[in-house]
Amino acid sequence: MKQRERRPGQKKTSAPAGESRRDDRAGRSLKRVARPAATRDTVRETAPAAVSRPLVARSGDRPAERVPVILESLGAGDFHLIDSGDGQKLEQYGPYRIIRPEAQALWRPSLAPQIWEKVDAVFTGDTDEEGTGRWRFPKAALGETWPLNLLGVDFLGRFTSFRHVGVFPEQIVHWSWMKEQVEKAGRPLKVLNLFGYTGVASLVAAAVGAEVTHVDASKKAIGWARENQALGRMEKLPIRWICEDAMKFILREERRGSQYDIILTDPPKFGRGPNGEVWHLFEHLPLMLDVCREILSPKAVGLVLTAYSIRASFYSIHELMRETMRGAGGAVESGELVIREAGLDGKTPGRALSTSLFSRWVPQ
């Protein structure tokens, strides 16, 4: 797994920050059909517009800043990006080579067409994720799930009808950072994983000694996460699986005086909750971060925000994070997550594919 941070004065290889990030990040369109298809927003938690409280008036200096920071992955465990181009990406997930749509791959593929033809699975159908897509298996029919491993954690890949396979490997740069913080802390850290999806991050943290609270509003996502836990025989690890709306949960934690040392939050751009709640990232993110600030422990080691498919610069979430953490000291580092092509052998660096924006507060 290769990770690099580029700071001012270094050459930046990512896509322009002002463009929307990654169309294949579950259901980012505001348009909804009468019976929405199973996009990742249907297996992700959303926050209700009705639940609110005033923002806390912050004082003091804003944290120092480090921008732009490019966190780069060349591959890890059972995953690497082989090639990309013509609006698609060619990926290796364990034993399977798959093709999925990728709107940001504006260039031509580097590898020959015959290599792209020798794949195990191709996602076809609705690339806007407003309708159900399907997988085509050129060689032979494959089962719905298969085992994968990242950072020493076993989990299940799954061919879903909304193009995803159960993990977003670009997030491994955050998971590796979190794993390092837990290992060197010298005490059990409390980790809150909001919008936790299939639980890979939660398992990574718990495996190295963290006490984890995993929150997602989807019973399907929680069920998948528990499958992953059982696959790795990690049932005894200290993980609380909470099937609930994220905003409701953290507001209740604030009232209870609960505190966490690390908070990961990965909200969608738009979504609907199980009871018709509506989440709009630009409307509700300030409150969510504000509450997260309140439930950080005095010895907290980080608050991480990732944002996909939004038409904004990383500076928008960077400045929001700095304002939210005013008076807390430390630093806010923000930029993009990118995955670099690694070729057929998984070791040959190629072009960088931008996947998302991020902002991360750290105490020093």
Side-chain angles (χ1 to χ4, degrees), residues 4-5 16 52 68 72 91 118 128-130 193 220 224 228 231 235 239 243 251 258 263 279 322 334 355 360:
R4 293 189 292 176
E5 293 189 5
S52 185
E72 177 184 309
E91 303 166 290
K118 296 177 181 179
D128 289 331
E129 301 190 17
E130 292 300 323
N193 186 12
K220 181 184 292 186
W224 192 343
N228 290 336
L231 180 68
E235 294 93 339
I239 303 176
C243 187
L251 283 167
S258 300
I263 300 178
W279 163 267
R322 291 187 76 206
S334 307
T355 63
R360 182 169 69 192

Short mmCIF file of all heavy atoms in Angstrom, two decimals, residues 4-5 16 52 68 72 91 118 128-130 193 220 224 228 231 235 239 243 251 258 263 279 322 334 355 360:
data_model
loop_
_atom_site.label_atom_id
_atom_site.label_comp_id
_atom_site.label_asym_id
_atom_site.label_seq_id
_atom_site.Cartn_x
_atom_site.Cartn_y
_atom_site.Cartn_z
N ARG A 4 1.04 8.77 -0.22
CA ARG A 4 1.87 9.96 -0.28
C ARG A 4 1.02 11.16 0.02
O ARG A 4 -0.13 11.24 -0.36
CB ARG A 4 2.49 10.11 -1.67
CG ARG A 4 3.50 9.04 -2.01
CD ARG A 4 4.23 9.37 -3.28
NE ARG A 4 3.32 9.29 -4.43
CZ ARG A 4 3.68 9.61 -5.65
NH1 ARG A 4 4.89 10.05 -5.90
NH2 ARG A 4 2.82 9.51 -6.64
N GLU A 5 1.60 12.14 0.69
CA GLU A 5 0.94 13.40 0.94
C GLU A 5 1.69 14.47 0.18
O GLU A 5 2.90 14.63 0.34
CB GLU A 5 0.95 13.74 2.44
CG GLU A 5 0.12 12.79 3.25
CD GLU A 5 -0.03 13.28 4.66
OE1 GLU A 5 0.43 14.40 4.97
OE2 GLU A 5 -0.60 12.55 5.46
N PRO A 16 -9.27 18.37 -11.11
CA PRO A 16 -9.59 19.67 -10.53
C PRO A 16 -10.55 19.55 -9.37
O PRO A 16 -11.54 18.83 -9.43
CB PRO A 16 -10.23 20.42 -11.72
CG PRO A 16 -9.67 19.76 -12.92
CD PRO A 16 -9.48 18.33 -12.56
N SER A 52 -32.70 19.11 14.95
CA SER A 52 -31.74 20.20 14.88
C SER A 52 -31.49 20.77 16.28
O SER A 52 -32.17 20.43 17.24
CB SER A 52 -32.27 21.30 13.95
OG SER A 52 -31.33 22.32 13.79
N PRO A 68 -2.81 21.98 -0.31
CA PRO A 68 -3.65 20.79 -0.45
C PRO A 68 -2.87 19.54 -0.07
O PRO A 68 -1.67 19.47 -0.27
CB PRO A 68 -3.96 20.79 -1.95
CG PRO A 68 -2.74 21.42 -2.57
CD PRO A 68 -2.24 22.45 -1.59
N GLU A 72 -2.78 9.29 -1.43
CA GLU A 72 -2.75 8.42 -2.61
C GLU A 72 -2.58 6.96 -2.25
O GLU A 72 -1.76 6.60 -1.41
CB GLU A 72 -1.61 8.87 -3.53
CG GLU A 72 -1.42 8.02 -4.76
CD GLU A 72 -0.22 8.47 -5.57
OE1 GLU A 72 -0.13 9.68 -5.87
OE2 GLU A 72 0.63 7.61 -5.89
N GLU A 91 -10.42 -3.12 -12.51
CA GLU A 91 -9.95 -3.32 -11.14
C GLU A 91 -9.74 -4.80 -10.83
O GLU A 91 -10.39 -5.66 -11.41
CB GLU A 91 -10.98 -2.78 -10.14
CG GLU A 91 -11.32 -1.31 -10.32
CD GLU A 91 -12.56 -0.93 -9.53
OE1 GLU A 91 -13.66 -1.38 -9.91
OE2 GLU A 91 -12.42 -0.21 -8.53
N LYS A 118 -10.55 -9.68 -21.15
CA LYS A 118 -10.35 -10.87 -20.33
C LYS A 118 -10.70 -10.56 -18.87
O LYS A 118 -9.84 -10.53 -17.99
CB LYS A 118 -8.91 -11.35 -20.44
CG LYS A 118 -8.53 -11.83 -21.85
CD LYS A 118 -7.07 -12.24 -21.92
CE LYS A 118 -6.69 -12.69 -23.32
NZ LYS A 118 -5.25 -13.07 -23.41
N ASP A 128 -26.31 6.11 -13.86
CA ASP A 128 -26.68 7.19 -12.94
C ASP A 128 -27.19 6.66 -11.61
O ASP A 128 -27.50 7.41 -10.71
CB ASP A 128 -27.78 8.07 -13.56
CG ASP A 128 -27.25 8.92 -14.70
OD1 ASP A 128 -26.05 9.24 -14.68
OD2 ASP A 128 -28.03 9.24 -15.61
N GLU A 129 -27.33 5.36 -11.52
CA GLU A 129 -27.79 4.68 -10.31
C GLU A 129 -29.23 5.01 -9.93
O GLU A 129 -29.66 4.82 -8.81
CB GLU A 129 -26.87 4.99 -9.12
CG GLU A 129 -25.44 4.56 -9.40
CD GLU A 129 -24.57 4.64 -8.18
OE1 GLU A 129 -25.11 4.71 -7.07
OE2 GLU A 129 -23.36 4.63 -8.34
N GLU A 130 -30.00 5.53 -10.88
CA GLU A 130 -31.42 5.77 -10.62
C GLU A 130 -32.24 4.52 -10.91
O GLU A 130 -33.39 4.43 -10.53
CB GLU A 130 -31.93 6.93 -11.49
CG GLU A 130 -31.35 8.28 -11.09
CD GLU A 130 -31.69 8.64 -9.67
OE1 GLU A 130 -32.81 8.33 -9.21
OE2 GLU A 130 -30.83 9.21 -8.99
N ASN A 193 -17.86 5.36 14.04
CA ASN A 193 -17.89 5.24 12.58
C ASN A 193 -19.31 5.55 12.10
O ASN A 193 -20.19 4.69 12.14
CB ASN A 193 -17.46 3.83 12.16
CG ASN A 193 -17.31 3.69 10.65
OD1 ASN A 193 -17.32 4.67 9.92
ND2 ASN A 193 -17.19 2.46 10.19
N LYS A 220 -29.84 -3.70 6.09
CA LYS A 220 -29.06 -4.48 5.13
C LYS A 220 -27.56 -4.25 5.32
O LYS A 220 -26.76 -5.19 5.32
CB LYS A 220 -29.46 -4.11 3.70
CG LYS A 220 -28.72 -4.89 2.63
CD LYS A 220 -29.08 -4.41 1.24
CE LYS A 220 -30.52 -4.75 0.90
NZ LYS A 220 -30.85 -4.41 -0.52
N TRP A 224 -24.77 -6.99 6.57
CA TRP A 224 -23.56 -7.27 5.80
C TRP A 224 -22.33 -7.10 6.69
O TRP A 224 -21.40 -7.90 6.66
CB TRP A 224 -23.51 -6.31 4.62
CG TRP A 224 -22.49 -6.61 3.56
CD1 TRP A 224 -21.40 -7.41 3.65
CD2 TRP A 224 -22.50 -6.08 2.24
NE1 TRP A 224 -20.70 -7.41 2.46
CE2 TRP A 224 -21.35 -6.60 1.57
CE3 TRP A 224 -23.33 -5.22 1.54
CZ2 TRP A 224 -21.04 -6.26 0.26
CZ3 TRP A 224 -23.02 -4.88 0.23
CH2 TRP A 224 -21.89 -5.40 -0.41
N ASN A 228 -19.40 -9.81 7.71
CA ASN A 228 -17.96 -9.60 7.63
C ASN A 228 -17.27 -9.91 8.95
O ASN A 228 -16.19 -10.50 8.98
CB ASN A 228 -17.68 -8.14 7.23
CG ASN A 228 -18.06 -7.85 5.78
OD1 ASN A 228 -18.12 -8.76 4.95
ND2 ASN A 228 -18.31 -6.59 5.48
N LEU A 231 -17.10 -13.66 9.25
CA LEU A 231 -16.15 -14.25 8.31
C LEU A 231 -14.75 -14.24 8.89
O LEU A 231 -14.00 -15.22 8.74
CB LEU A 231 -16.18 -13.47 6.99
CG LEU A 231 -15.23 -13.98 5.90
CD1 LEU A 231 -15.69 -15.35 5.38
CD2 LEU A 231 -15.16 -12.98 4.74
N GLU A 235 -16.16 -11.99 16.23
CA GLU A 235 -17.39 -11.71 16.97
C GLU A 235 -17.14 -11.18 18.38
O GLU A 235 -17.99 -10.47 18.93
CB GLU A 235 -18.26 -12.98 17.07
CG GLU A 235 -18.83 -13.47 15.74
CD GLU A 235 -17.94 -14.50 15.08
OE1 GLU A 235 -16.73 -14.55 15.42
OE2 GLU A 235 -18.44 -15.25 14.24
N ILE A 239 -17.40 -4.16 19.37
CA ILE A 239 -18.07 -3.32 18.37
C ILE A 239 -19.56 -3.26 18.70
O ILE A 239 -20.21 -4.30 18.87
CB ILE A 239 -17.91 -3.87 16.94
CG1 ILE A 239 -16.43 -4.02 16.58
CG2 ILE A 239 -18.59 -2.96 15.94
CD1 ILE A 239 -16.19 -4.64 15.22
N CYS A 243 -28.22 0.41 14.42
CA CYS A 243 -29.03 0.68 13.23
C CYS A 243 -29.93 1.88 13.55
O CYS A 243 -31.01 1.73 14.14
CB CYS A 243 -29.86 -0.55 12.87
SG CYS A 243 -30.75 -0.39 11.30
N LEU A 251 -26.83 13.38 18.37
CA LEU A 251 -27.49 14.34 19.26
C LEU A 251 -27.80 13.70 20.61
O LEU A 251 -27.66 14.33 21.66
CB LEU A 251 -28.76 14.89 18.61
CG LEU A 251 -28.55 15.95 17.52
CD1 LEU A 251 -29.84 16.17 16.74
CD2 LEU A 251 -28.05 17.25 18.12
N SER A 258 -21.56 11.45 26.07
CA SER A 258 -20.65 10.44 25.52
C SER A 258 -19.52 11.13 24.75
O SER A 258 -19.71 12.21 24.18
CB SER A 258 -21.40 9.49 24.58
OG SER A 258 -22.43 8.81 25.27
N ILE A 263 -13.50 10.08 15.27
CA ILE A 263 -14.80 10.02 14.59
C ILE A 263 -14.56 10.01 13.09
O ILE A 263 -13.88 10.89 12.55
CB ILE A 263 -15.72 11.20 14.97
CG1 ILE A 263 -15.99 11.21 16.47
CG2 ILE A 263 -17.04 11.12 14.19
CD1 ILE A 263 -16.85 12.38 16.94
N TRP A 279 -31.83 14.16 3.91
CA TRP A 279 -30.49 14.67 4.20
C TRP A 279 -29.98 15.41 2.97
O TRP A 279 -29.97 14.87 1.86
CB TRP A 279 -29.55 13.51 4.52
CG TRP A 279 -28.09 13.86 4.44
CD1 TRP A 279 -27.26 13.72 3.36
CD2 TRP A 279 -27.28 14.42 5.48
NE1 TRP A 279 -26.00 14.15 3.66
CE2 TRP A 279 -25.97 14.59 4.96
CE3 TRP A 279 -27.52 14.79 6.80
CZ2 TRP A 279 -24.92 15.10 5.71
CZ3 TRP A 279 -26.49 15.30 7.55
CH2 TRP A 279 -25.20 15.45 7.01
N ARG A 322 -12.31 23.99 9.81
CA ARG A 322 -11.52 24.92 10.62
C ARG A 322 -12.41 25.78 11.52
O ARG A 322 -12.05 26.05 12.67
CB ARG A 322 -10.67 25.82 9.72
CG ARG A 322 -9.54 25.09 9.00
CD ARG A 322 -8.66 26.07 8.27
NE ARG A 322 -7.76 26.79 9.19
CZ ARG A 322 -7.27 28.00 8.93
NH1 ARG A 322 -7.59 28.65 7.83
NH2 ARG A 322 -6.45 28.58 9.80
N SER A 334 -6.62 19.08 4.42
CA SER A 334 -7.72 18.80 3.50
C SER A 334 -7.19 18.67 2.07
O SER A 334 -6.15 19.25 1.73
CB SER A 334 -8.76 19.92 3.55
OG SER A 334 -9.19 20.17 4.86
N THR A 355 -11.01 10.38 -6.42
CA THR A 355 -12.22 9.69 -5.96
C THR A 355 -13.09 10.55 -5.05
O THR A 355 -14.31 10.42 -5.07
CB THR A 355 -11.85 8.41 -5.19
OG1 THR A 355 -11.12 8.75 -4.02
CG2 THR A 355 -11.02 7.47 -6.06
N ARG A 360 -9.59 16.59 7.50
CA ARG A 360 -9.27 15.83 8.71
C ARG A 360 -8.63 16.76 9.75
O ARG A 360 -7.62 17.40 9.47
CB ARG A 360 -8.30 14.69 8.36
CG ARG A 360 -7.91 13.80 9.53
CD ARG A 360 -7.18 12.56 9.03
NE ARG A 360 -5.85 12.82 8.49
CZ ARG A 360 -5.13 11.95 7.81
NH1 ARG A 360 -5.61 10.73 7.56
NH2 ARG A 360 -3.93 12.26 7.35
#
